[in-house]
């Protein structure tokens, strides 16, 4: 039997003989000896020149799936952060939006010279301020967490009992009083900015009313804004907080940017006296109670330059107007005698009037945050009271006795009952 190795050797010899016989070119003699001689003398290539030493490993090695720990750790960290945030947020009370409808919180009012607050149904009244000095003009912040008020100074006189006072901010329960500005002279009721960071008011500089903006946390001194050459008083923030409306002298209502720039007059009619004003919740117009040659009437003044509109009923005065929180209805007082007032509710254009029961004092009535109640003051008798009325006339009225006792009502137009806004 023939060996496989023998067959392969015979084939190799035949191929070699054929190549030697038929090849057209032959290698030079002694070629192999010459090549071997040169390679024996050549140096080896250093290892650092080998491609495997400097080409990235991932290009010279086959790719393998390797678990990555960083994304897993990141995911765990995000989950922990979310849990912590949930716990923190869940432990904080929800706050209402600065404008529009909100739930009814407590009703703040004055009694015996101090601020009190009762539940929306008039129950559980509690005292929030204490001391020998009289409090006045309480105003809730838009989120319902704080109250700004005026603490009457001993420097005031019997002839002008509210002329001097300190502007104070306290928490909703009356704790942590923060002095904003001491010994203000002739200060108007403070107005909160929608974001709760600022307080807006006017006060006397000598004998001239000027407008000031103050940090609500007391972190910076008040700043004067507006035209110092004119009498500017009773400022209010627009619903978005970007503009300020205010009265000039007693004849006009003007508006300016929050920083005091771009001042312009809104009314073209000559007002002889201005009673009060309030922004429409949409921020496009303001309802004003102002007199010309007759008694005070209602006017709509517009920010876009549209001429003002006069709402007048001959033979009576209309004062203290305000829109409901949703902007759908208008509330105001009317009088034919000048001593007692009737509460009126109309639609947003001042038509379709409804007469509310009872007679009331010349004190601004206010809407509850959800629009379901109206707070009105009556100090015409021996015992003053705050009445909470249903504007639809369905629910029974709620009466809070002992508010603003007769004889101690030192600033009736400013000391209105005010509602705390809470989250719905």
């Amino acid at each position: 039997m023939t060996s496989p190795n023998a067959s392969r050797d015979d084939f190799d010899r035949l191929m070699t003989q054929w190549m030697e016989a038929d090849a057209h070119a032959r290698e030079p003699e002694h070629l192999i000896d010459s090549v071997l001689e040169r390679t024996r003398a050549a140096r080896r290539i250093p290892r650092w020149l080998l491609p495997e030493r400097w080409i990235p490993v991932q290009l010279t090695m086959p790719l393998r799936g390797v678990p990555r720990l960083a994304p897993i750790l990141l995911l765990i960290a995000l989950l922990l952060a979310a849990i912590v945030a949930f716990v923190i947020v869940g432990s904080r009370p929800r706050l209402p939006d600065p404008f529009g409808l909100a739930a009814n919180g407590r009703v703040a009012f004055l009694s015996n010279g101090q601020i009190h607050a009762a539940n929306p149904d008039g129950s559980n009244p509690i005292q929030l301020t204490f001391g020998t000095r009289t409090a006045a003009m309480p105003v809730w912040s838009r989120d319902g967490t704080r109250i700004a008020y005026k603490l009457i100074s001993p420097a005031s006189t019997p002839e002008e009992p509210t002329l001097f006072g300190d502007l104070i901010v306290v928490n909703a329960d009356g704790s942590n009083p923060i002095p904003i500005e001491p010994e203000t002279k002739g200060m108007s009721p403070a107005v909160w900015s929608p974001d709760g960071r600022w307080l807006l008011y006017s006060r006397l500089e000598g004998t001239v009313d000027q407008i000031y903006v103050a940090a609500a946390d007391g972190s910076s001194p008040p700043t004067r804004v507006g035209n110092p050459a004119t009498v500017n008083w009773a400022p209010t923030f627009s619903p978005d907080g970007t503009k300020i409306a205010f009265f000039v002298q007693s004849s006009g209502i003007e508006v300016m940017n929050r920083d005091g720039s771009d001042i312009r007059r809104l009314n073209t009619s000559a007002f002889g006296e201005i009673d009060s004003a309030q922004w429409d919740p949409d921020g496009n117009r303001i309802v004003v109670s102002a007199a010309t040659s007759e008694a005070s009437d209602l006017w709509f003044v517009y920010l876009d330059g549209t001429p003002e509109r006069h709402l007048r009923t001959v033979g009576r005065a209309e004062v203290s107007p305000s829109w409901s929180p949703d902007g759908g209805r208008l509330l105001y007082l009317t009088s034919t005698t000048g001593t007692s007032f009737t509460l009126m509710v109309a639609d947003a254009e001042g038509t379709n009037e409804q007469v509310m029961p009872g007679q009331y004092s010349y004190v601004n009535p206010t809407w509850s945050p959800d629009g379901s109640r109206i707070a009105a003051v009556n100090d015409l008798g021996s015992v003053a009271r705050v009445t909470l009325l249903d504007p639809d006339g369905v629910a029974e009225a709620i009466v809070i006795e002992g508010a603003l006792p007769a004889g101690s009502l030192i600033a009736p137009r400013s000391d209105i009952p005010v509602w705390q806004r809470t989250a719905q």
Side-chain angles (χ1 to χ4, degrees):
M1 187 173 182
T2 306
S3 170
N5 289 334
S7 300
R8 186 168 56 250
D9 292 343
D10 291 342
F11 176 77
D12 291 342
R13 283 195 295 270
L14 289 173
M15 286 299 297
T16 301
Q17 291 173 2
W18 179 81
M19 291 291 291
E20 290 178 349
D22 296 334
H24 298 286
R26 296 178 181 272
E27 71 276 7
E29 282 190 41
H30 311 299
L31 174 62
I32 294 177
D33 294 337
S34 174
V35 169
L36 291 175
E37 182 67 23
R38 293 181 60 182
T39 56
R40 279 196 298 269
R43 296 176 58 189
R44 296 183 63 181
I45 298 176
R47 295 184 64 187
W48 61 269
L49 288 177
L50 296 175
E52 292 85 353
R53 302 296 296 179
W54 49 270
I55 296 178
V57 174
Q58 63 267 28
L59 297 182
T60 61
M61 295 178 63
L63 296 177
R64 294 195 215 28
V66 179
R68 301 185 65 186
L69 189 58
I72 297 175
L73 293 176
L74 178 60
L75 179 60
I76 293 173
L78 290 175
L79 288 174
L80 289 174
I83 292 171
V84 171
F86 177 80
V87 171
I88 293 174
V89 172
S91 64
R92 295 176 179 172
R94 290 195 311 117
L95 299 178
D97 294 329
F99 280 88
L101 296 174
N104 296 341
R106 300 179 71 82
V107 182
F109 56 92
L110 293 180
S111 180
N112 293 317
Q114 300 298 327
I115 301 173
H116 293 67
N119 289 335
D121 62 359
S123 64
N124 192 30
I126 59 174
Q127 187 170 337
L128 300 181
T129 60
F130 300 85
T132 58
R133 294 171 63 181
T134 299
M137 305 188 306
V139 183
W140 290 100
S141 62
R142 300 297 301 175
D143 62 5
T145 62
R146 291 170 291 172
I147 299 175
Y149 69 98
K150 184 176 181 178
L151 188 61
I152 304 303
S153 168
S156 299
T157 64
E159 294 75 24
E160 295 183 282
T162 64
L163 182 60
F164 292 97
D166 304 340
L167 177 57
I168 307 292
V169 170
V170 295
N171 292 336
D173 60 0
S175 64
N176 189 33
I178 300 173
I180 304 301
E181 185 176 12
E183 293 297 322
T184 60
K185 182 181 179 182
M187 187 183 79
S188 68
V191 177
W192 289 87
S193 64
D195 60 10
R197 296 178 57 198
W198 308 99
L199 290 168
L200 179 68
Y201 56 94
S202 63
R203 65 174 174 82
L204 288 171
E205 285 286 346
T207 59
V208 178
D209 288 282
Q210 293 292 293
I211 297 173
Y212 283 81
V213 177
D217 60 1
S219 59
S220 59
T223 302
R224 183 168 64 181
V225 295
N227 184 358
T230 59
V231 176
N232 309 314
W233 58 287
T236 58
F237 276 116
S238 63
D240 63 3
T242 63
K243 291 182 172 54
I244 296 171
F246 58 99
F247 302 149
V248 179
Q249 312 294 352
S250 294
S251 61
I253 181 167
E254 296 188 352
V255 68
M256 61 184 170
N257 292 334
R258 183 171 174 165
D259 62 0
S261 62
D262 191 24
I263 301 174
R264 53 196 175 94
R265 178 68 62 96
L266 296 182
N267 62 298
T268 56
S269 300
F271 294 158
E273 182 180 352
I274 298 177
D275 169 74
S276 58
Q278 191 190 60
W279 289 86
D280 188 318
D282 66 10
N284 294 322
R285 62 179 179 172
I286 299 170
V287 61
V288 182
S289 173
T292 52
S293 58
E294 304 293 335
S296 293
D297 298 318
L298 299 185
W299 302 74
F300 290 157
V301 295
Y302 301 88
L303 267 71
D304 63 0
T306 300
E308 63 267 21
R309 185 157 67 92
H310 190 187
L311 284 71
R312 184 188 181 197
T313 298
V314 177
R316 75 178 190 190
E318 294 100 11
V319 296
S320 306
S322 65
W323 268 292
S324 59
D326 63 0
R329 290 190 282 187
L330 192 62
L331 169 68
Y332 48 94
L333 296 171
T334 65
S335 179
T336 57
T337 66
T339 56
S340 63
F341 291 80
T342 301
L343 195 64
M344 310 293 290
V345 176
D347 61 27
E349 300 304 317
T351 58
N352 299 318
E353 288 183 331
Q354 299 177 34
V355 180
M356 296 289 101
Q359 291 293 302
Y360 301 94
S361 306
Y362 189 25
V363 179
N364 291 351
T366 57
W367 290 92
S368 67
D370 68 355
S372 67
R373 290 280 179 173
I374 296 168
V377 172
N378 185 336
D379 72 327
L380 300 174
S382 59
V383 177
R385 60 182 59 88
V386 173
T387 303
L388 309 181
L389 298 119
D390 176 5
D392 296 319
V394 177
E396 186 177 350
I398 298 170
V399 177
I400 303 175
E401 296 282 359
L404 301 169
S408 66
L409 189 60
I410 57 176
R413 296 306 321 288
S414 303
D415 293 327
I416 62 175
V418 288
W419 293 83
Q420 179 188 32
R421 305 173 78 253
T422 59
Q424 290 182 311

